[in-house]
Amino acid sequence: NSKLRHVEKDVLVPQIMRERAKELCSDKVQAFTKCCQESGLLMVVKCRQENAALKDCLVGYYSDPSFYEECKTEYLKQREEYRATGIKKKRQTLTSNV
């Protein structure tokens, strides 16, 4: 059954989208984080360029219908596995050795 409830459509699938978009935009996330750490309280002024690049990258993924469908498919697989086994599987995240 691939029909989604309201909470799945509006909360759970977008949550997967956010996680995956952060992974796919990890270079921009790291650049923004580094800028913020170096700038301290002046980060609002000094990190505008990094913030804009990060925002553009994330919004690009959030507004992509095919990316939404990928994440929806991933969610449906997780839901199907949970319903079959009763065990919630945590999503693996890529970690960088920084």
Side-chain angles (χ1 to χ4, degrees):
N1 184 8
S2 63
K3 188 164 174 87
L4 293 176
R5 295 176 300 155
H6 176 69
V7 71
E8 293 171 321
K9 193 183 309 179
D10 295 340
V11 177
L12 299 174
V13 174
Q15 183 179 17
I16 292 173
M17 289 176 71
R18 279 190 300 277
E19 291 171 6
R20 289 199 52 211
K22 283 181 186 176
E23 290 174 8
L24 295 169
C25 298
S26 65
D27 56 331
K28 291 171 181 55
V29 171
Q30 288 176 351
F32 179 67
T33 303
K34 182 180 178 186
C35 179
C36 289
Q37 289 171 343
E38 292 172 353
S39 301
L41 294 175
L42 297 175
M43 70 180 156
V44 175
V45 177
K46 289 188 174 182
C47 300
R48 285 183 183 163
Q49 186 176 0
E50 290 84 353
N51 187 29
L54 174 58
K55 192 174 181 179
D56 289 344
C57 183
L58 293 174
V59 169
Y61 284 110
Y62 296 159
S63 60
D64 182 8
S66 63
F67 185 68
Y68 177 83
E69 290 301 319
E70 282 179 37
C71 294
K72 178 181 166 186
T73 302
E74 181 179 333
Y75 172 77
L76 289 171
K77 285 179 187 175
Q78 290 175 0
R79 185 178 76 175
E80 181 181 341
E81 186 174 323
Y82 174 75
R83 287 180 176 177
T85 64
I87 301 171
K88 187 174 184 178
K89 187 175 183 179
K90 288 191 176 183
R91 190 172 181 279
Q92 276 189 339
T93 56
L94 300 175
T95 58
S96 60
N97 297 330
V98 177

